[in-house]
Each structure stands twice: as C-alpha cells, then as structure tokens.
C-alpha cells in the first residue's frame, strides 16, 4: 500500500506542474495505483474493523466521502477561486494547469501522509500477524503419505 501511495505521490507532483507529455505516463500509473490501492484495502479494512459493517466502512464511507471532499469541495473551490480571479482580469474562463494545480498538490500531500500512516500501521500490526501465523494454525494438516 505504501508503494502504491508513493508512486501516486511521485506521479501527482509533476502532473500538477503540467509538464509536457506527463499525461501519457501519469494517467496509466494513477489508474494502476488506484486499482492496487482498492484491492489491497480489503483485508486491512475487514481485519481492523470487522465484517459486520464491512460494506458501509469500505464502500459507503471511503469512496463517497473522498469523492465529495476532492471533487466537490477541493476541486470546485480551486476552480471557482481561480475563475473569480480570472474574471477580475477580464479573462473568459479557467484554462490550463493553473486551475487545478492546488488540487493536485493537495492530493500529493495526502498521498504522502497516507504513505507515512501506512508504514506506521505496518509496523504496529506486524506483531499481531506474527502471533497469528507463527503457530501454523492456518495450515492444512499433512498426511505421512504426501
């Protein structure tokens, strides 16, 4: 998870600067990282919070809340503030990377924070997994003929 977040961080930073040709490399990398992230989040979410309200926790709170915060509030606010600034200068619309540069930088910062928190979670949960799986209780019994 930390690796996917680190790749997202590294990809979002030049994406915010709108370097020439970065879109061709950034979009596939971001898509792969989001796919990895959503696949990897299933086991920790179920083990840390249980299965009773798993659907609500995993798909009900995470995705809609993130979409509202990023798309609705952050990106909307960044666009409107730049558009209001452009209207003062008699410009017609927000065009170019300046409109959403702040949004990509904030997302890169969130990915950096997620990387740090993922490393902390890994360090803290490692002894629990060592206790669970060291006894061999999850292995199938071996018969002498095999």
């Amino acid at each position: 998870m930390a690796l996917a977040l680190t790749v997202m961080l590294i990809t979002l930073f030049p994406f915010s600067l709108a370097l020439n040709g970065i879109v061709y490399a950034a979009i596939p990398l971001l898509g792969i990282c989001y796919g990895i992230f959503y696949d990897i989040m299933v086991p920790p979410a179920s083990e840390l919070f249980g299965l009773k309200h798993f659907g609500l926790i995993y798909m009900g709170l995470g995705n809609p809340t993130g979409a509202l915060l990023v798309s609705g509030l952050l990106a909307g606010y960044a666009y409107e503030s730049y558009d209001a600034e452009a209207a003062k200068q008699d410009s017609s619309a927000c065009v170019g990377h300046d409109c959403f540069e702040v949004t990509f930088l904030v997302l890169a910062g969130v990915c950096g924070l997620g990387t740090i928190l993922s490393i902390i979670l890994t360090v803290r949960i490692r002894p629990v997994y060592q206790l669970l799986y060291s006894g061999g209780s999850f292995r199938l019994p071996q018969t002498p003929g095999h």
Side-chain angles (χ1 to χ4, degrees):
M1 185 167 30
L3 180 64
L5 286 169
T6 304
V7 171
M8 287 173 69
L9 168 70
I10 293 169
T11 306
L12 283 169
F13 184 70
F15 200 66
S16 69
L17 301 176
L19 300 175
N20 288 335
I22 193 68
V23 172
Y24 301 114
I27 297 298
L29 280 175
L30 288 174
I32 290 169
C33 289
Y34 277 116
I36 290 170
F37 186 71
Y38 282 119
D39 288 341
I40 289 177
M41 280 306 298
V42 173
S46 66
E47 290 176 1
L48 292 174
F49 302 110
L51 294 174
K52 185 174 182 183
H53 301 289
F54 176 73
L56 176 66
I57 291 169
Y58 182 66
M59 294 304 283
L61 295 177
N63 292 338
T65 305
L68 173 68
L69 291 175
V70 173
S71 299
L73 300 178
L74 178 64
Y77 177 75
Y79 182 82
E80 288 175 2
S81 65
Y82 187 82
D83 196 35
E85 189 177 301
K88 291 178 185 176
Q89 299 172 356
D90 294 330
S91 181
S92 62
C94 182
V95 178
H97 81 283
D98 295 332
C99 305
F100 297 106
E101 181 179 15
V102 173
T103 304
F104 289 123
L105 290 175
V106 168
L107 286 175
V110 168
C111 286
L113 178 67
T115 301
I116 293 168
L117 292 176
S118 174
I119 292 169
I120 291 171
L121 179 66
T122 302
V123 169
R124 290 192 63 184
I125 204 89
R126 184 172 300 206
V128 174
Y129 283 125
Q130 287 175 345
L131 286 174
L132 281 175
Y133 297 116
S134 66
S137 61
F138 293 102
R139 295 184 187 159
L140 293 174
Q142 296 288 327
T143 59
H146 287 90

